[in-house]
Amino acid sequence: DVKVTQSSRYLVKRTGEKVFLECVQDMDHENMFWYRQDPGLGLRLIYFSYDVKMKEKGDIPEGYSVSREKKERFSLILESASTNQTSMYLCASSLSGTGVNEQFFGPGTRLTVL
Amino acid sequence: AQKITQTQPGMFVQEKEAVTLDCTYDTSDQSYGLFWYKQPSSGEMIFLIYQGSYDEQNATEGRYSLNFQKARKSANLVISASQLGDSAMYFCAMREDTTAGNKLTFGGGTRVLVKP
């Protein structure tokens, strides 16, 4: 079974703190993704990576950065957390190429910034 | 313009009845894929069904079927014989195959509540 794990299910941080969200997958997937999920807005892509050390901005990258030093691990960094970054954060991974190659999701991290 | 539109924010369905969730998409790519995911209250995203743009037959997976109308750019999910466990958020998503990284664009979701 593909497994995508995220470092925390719940996280509470203060405004201005640096926040690290970690994601690990165990299926040797090339692609990894970070989304945030807000009510009524669905999932919005923050950043994705299609190879080690490669990263691409998604639709809402402002205020975030990412790191992918190893194939299995993709980290999302909030350099200086703000209250509008309170959200559910979902990590996903997938194989490359056409065909199904669906994305597999982690359980999510609910981040609250006070 | 929104790439994926789900016009039904929420709906009720009677147990054992069928329900159709609407999804329209917008792309100029010829090669793309359409996905449906289910998100129960526990929060995990569960992949349900996939339709490729070149697939001529509508996709089916158990009680799930995808009504793919390419000319209308719609990819509606049909759940037959609804069960209480089908109560969840449902997301439609699209992958444009010309872009790197297999990224998905999601719709806003439809919340389904199955009534006993």
Side-chain angles (χ1 to χ4, degrees):
Chain A
D1 271 357
V2 175
K3 195 158 184 184
V4 181
T5 57
Q6 295 183 228
S7 48
S8 306
R9 289 300 305 269
Y10 300 93
L11 209 52
V12 180
K13 295 292 181 181
R14 297 247 175 234
T15 303
E17 280 193 78
K18 191 169 187 175
V19 182
F20 293 87
L21 302 182
E22 302 280 337
C23 176
V24 177
Q25 52 94 3
D26 66 358
M27 282 301 290
D28 205 33
H29 284 170
E30 297 92 354
N31 305 314
M32 296 189 75
F33 309 85
W34 275 106
Y35 297 91
R36 65 176 282 175
Q37 181 179 7
D38 301 289
L41 298 178
L43 279 71
R44 292 180 293 166
L45 183 64
I46 304 171
Y47 268 96
F48 68 101
S49 167
Y50 52 86
D51 201 352
V52 176
K53 297 191 187 293
M54 303 301 290
K55 59 187 178 186
E56 293 274 347
K57 292 180 181 179
D59 300 316
I60 51 164
E62 297 79 18
Y64 304 95
S65 62
V66 290
S67 172
R68 194 168 181 199
E69 296 296 318
K70 293 185 177 181
K71 191 173 185 180
E72 68 270 20
R73 188 180 298 269
F74 193 36
S75 302
L76 179 70
I77 303 151
L78 288 66
E79 294 289 342
S80 177
S82 64
T83 54
N84 63 11
Q85 293 178 310
T86 291
S87 187
M88 171 70 88
Y89 289 88
L90 291 164
C91 175
S93 72
S94 79
L95 291 170
S96 289
T98 57
V100 182
N101 291 332
E102 73 271 28
Q103 290 186 14
F104 293 85
F105 284 82
T109 295
R110 186 166 294 283
L111 173 67
T112 302
V113 183
L114 302 175
Chain B
Q2 290 232 347
K3 286 198 170 183
I4 296 284
T5 303
Q6 295 180 250
T7 57
Q8 307 150 308
M11 54 198 310
F12 289 98
V13 59
Q14 202 65 41
E15 192 179 9
K16 298 180 184 158
E17 290 185 352
V19 61
T20 297
L21 308 184
D22 295 339
C23 174
T24 57
Y25 61 92
D26 183 28
T27 181
S28 55
D29 280 12
Q30 296 301 306
S31 178
Y32 53 89
L34 297 156
F35 299 78
W36 279 92
Y37 282 83
K38 171 185 179 181
Q39 187 180 44
S41 56
S42 53
E44 77 267 34
M45 293 284 285
I46 302 166
F47 165 69
L48 294 178
I49 196 166
Y50 164 82
Q51 179 86 40
S53 59
Y54 293 115
D55 295 340
E56 294 186 352
Q57 304 272 5
N58 285 342
T60 59
E61 290 286 348
R63 293 187 299 111
Y64 304 108
S65 59
L66 200 153
N67 184 1
F68 181 46
Q69 298 188 42
K70 195 169 181 177
R72 295 182 58 191
K73 292 187 174 177
S74 85
N76 298 340
L77 177 71
V78 180
I79 307 173
S80 63
S82 297
Q83 301 172 355
L84 296 178
D86 294 333
S87 294
M89 281 290 288
Y90 290 82
F91 292 99
C92 179
M94 176 176 65
R95 181 190 68 215
E96 293 169 298
D97 292 336
T98 54
T99 59
N102 280 35
K103 62 177 185 172
L104 295 178
T105 302
F106 284 83
T110 296
R111 184 173 298 281
V112 172
L113 187 59
V114 180
K115 298 187 291 184

